[in-house]
Amino acid sequence: MSTSMAMTRLSAASVVYRRAHSHSPFLWFLRRLSSSLPTGAPAPNSDEPPAPGNRKQDDGTSPSSALLQSVELDVSTRSVGQVIFLNSLDSGRVVFVSLALGDPTLAALAALGTATANTTSKIIGLDEKTRKDGLWGYNGALIGCAMSVFGPTYLPLMVVSTLFGAAATPVLSASLRGAISIPQWTWSFNIVTLTSLIRTRPLMQSEDAEDVVSVPVAAGDIVMSPLKGMSQIFVADSAVTGAGLLAATYLYSPKLAAHAFGGSVTGSLVGLLLGADLPDICIGLWGYNSALTSMAVGTFYVHSNRTVVLSASGAAASAFLFGTMQTLFGEFGVPCLTLPFCSIATGCYLLGGHIPGLKLAAEPHSPEKNA
């Protein structure tokens, strides 16, 4: 193991995760979206009635239309935050801005995927409260992120893939909700995305094109890997995005932020102990599943010393499983996405009530509020 600098063969997974989108035709969309952020509209779950106005017409400029647009934007914003268990408009806004700073195209497709999933859930009549909490839309956000990295390189096809994939997620989530009694996690995202990628096999294409590329790995890159692990939850390779996501989590719950960062650190350490490729560790591939698992434990369990132990253990288990699944799925030319998180988080959740000191929260929210 190098102490300051190592020259390591870049794996196929690293190449794909490093795809950059520095100049995007979607920038106009981001500017338009940011300019339309609500300034005083009631929150989606607020009992405050809309302000009275001219109801004779609804041509897109009337108060009722403006309120509707604000509510829908709030739902999408909350959905983006729900990817990392943040049921908060303010945190959702910070998450979106963080994504835009790291990769504008990824952020725009995440917004498109979220809006598509939420619109689909509304059209087919799924539970409205669940929609307003952002729980029908967050898988759609991840679809957009995945399509920006693993999807077609031609932008219109990228958009079409996002639209179709995101539209499928609420339907699948509703089906799973009726079949299983555990949280949904990101199963719908994994099923829809892998169904698409198993045909295109993006990692195989990357390996053929850039198998001999080598990059220097500095000690500072390893130090920054936990922040990159946070950003890789959204398939982004950016320490700035990771720091923004951590800030959004801290704004929502300081203890949940500790779970997130601690989980990502644990995953990176497990990767180092197992002798994983340094570039994979440095870009956060070993941290993101672990961060999600730790956040799931912090969100669904009443805070206690044993909950902290379960959080750390789950993070380590997620990293071990990621190492196995990365190799297995790599043979088929596809990433394992968040399957390690979904698997280990399910096991952690099912421990509730079986081990003294581990108690599931009656109304899951955050370590500070769970009881």
Side-chain angles (χ1 to χ4, degrees), residues 45-94:
N45 295 321
S46 172
D47 293 329
E48 179 183 348
N54 183 0
R55 301 177 182 273
K56 294 182 178 180
Q57 62 177 3
D58 190 9
D59 59 358
T61 60
S62 67
S64 60
S65 177
L67 176 62
L68 178 61
Q69 292 173 9
S70 294
V71 169
E72 291 305 313
L73 185 58
D74 285 355
V75 171
S76 292
T77 301
R78 199 178 292 270
S79 296
V80 174
Q82 285 283 20
V83 172
I84 50 177
F85 305 100
L86 310 180
N87 187 9
S88 164
L89 285 175
D90 290 337
S91 292
R93 292 183 183 112
V94 176

Side-chain angles (χ1 to χ4, degrees), residues 270-284:
V270 169
L272 287 171
L273 291 174
L274 293 179
D277 289 341
L278 286 181
D280 284 1
I281 297 172
C282 291
I283 65 174

Side-chain angles (χ1 to χ4, degrees), residues 14-371:
S14 303
V15 174
V16 173
Y17 274 80
R18 287 177 180 274
R19 265 177 52 183
H21 302 285
S22 57
H23 300 286
S24 169
F26 272 114
L27 285 175
W28 69 271
F29 177 79
L30 291 174
R31 297 190 188 100
R32 185 177 181 86
L33 182 63
S34 61
S35 66
S36 63
L37 286 175
T39 57
N45 295 321
S46 172
D47 293 329
E48 179 183 348
N54 183 0
R55 301 177 182 273
K56 294 182 178 180
Q57 62 177 3
D58 190 9
D59 59 358
T61 60
S62 67
S64 60
S65 177
L67 176 62
L68 178 61
Q69 292 173 9
S70 294
V71 169
E72 291 305 313
L73 185 58
D74 285 355
V75 171
S76 292
T77 301
R78 199 178 292 270
S79 296
V80 174
Q82 285 283 20
V83 172
I84 50 177
F85 305 100
L86 310 180
N87 187 9
S88 164
L89 285 175
D90 290 337
S91 292
R93 292 183 183 112
V94 176
V95 169
F96 183 77
V97 170
S98 300
L99 295 178
L101 289 174
D103 187 335
T105 298
L106 182 145
L109 288 175
L112 177 64
T114 304
T116 301
N118 282 321
T119 300
T120 301
S121 68
K122 187 173 184 177
I123 291 174
I124 64 179
L126 296 180
D127 182 68
E128 182 65 12
K129 184 180 185 304
T130 301
R131 190 182 77 89
K132 288 185 175 181
D133 283 340
L135 296 177
W136 295 128
Y138 70 91
N139 282 291
L142 288 174
I143 292 289
C145 294
M147 289 302 109
S148 76
V149 176
F150 301 112
T153 56
Y154 184 49
L155 189 59
L157 291 180
M158 201 183 295
V159 171
V160 171
S161 298
T162 298
L163 290 171
F164 277 94
T169 58
V171 179
L172 184 56
S173 294
S175 300
L176 291 174
R177 192 180 192 184
I180 59 179
S181 58
I182 60 175
Q184 290 284 305
W185 312 129
T186 54
W187 287 112
S188 297
F189 157 66
N190 284 291
I191 293 171
V192 172
T193 304
L194 288 174
T195 299
S196 172
L197 297 185
I198 200 68
R199 179 183 61 83
T200 59
R201 306 174 78 184
L203 300 187
M204 288 293 190
Q205 297 173 8
S206 175
E207 187 176 34
D208 293 341
E210 303 184 61
D211 184 50
V212 297
V213 174
S214 296
V215 294
V217 177
D221 295 328
I222 298 177
V223 172
M224 298 299 288
S225 62
L227 289 180
K228 291 287 190 76
M230 290 292 298
S231 74
Q232 288 289 4
I233 294 173
F234 289 86
V235 208
D237 178 14
S238 168
V240 173
T241 296
L245 296 178
L246 194 61
T249 307
Y250 186 87
L251 180 65
Y252 181 78
S253 163
K255 289 182 179 178
L256 190 60
H259 278 281
F261 190 71
S264 189
V265 169
T266 300
S268 298
L269 289 175
V270 169
L272 287 171
L273 291 174
L274 293 179
D277 289 341
L278 286 181
D280 284 1
I281 297 172
C282 291
I283 65 174
L285 297 189
W286 283 80
Y288 72 96
N289 280 290
S290 298
L292 281 170
T293 299
S294 288
M295 294 184 79
V297 172
T299 299
F300 285 91
Y301 275 94
V302 175
H303 184 68
S304 67
N305 290 336
R306 293 202 175 188
T307 300
V308 174
V309 172
L310 179 62
S311 175
S313 301
S318 295
F320 276 105
L321 186 57
F322 168 78
T324 301
M325 285 190 168
Q326 181 191 42
T327 302
L328 176 63
F329 280 71
E331 293 297 317
F332 297 94
V334 296
C336 63
L337 302 177
T338 57
L339 285 176
F341 151 65
C342 290
S343 302
I344 300 301
T346 297
C348 290
Y349 184 85
L350 292 176
L351 287 175
H354 296 285
I355 298 179
L358 287 178
K359 179 184 177 183
L360 288 168
E363 296 182 3
H365 182 275
S366 63
E368 290 86 350
K369 294 188 178 181
N370 286 348

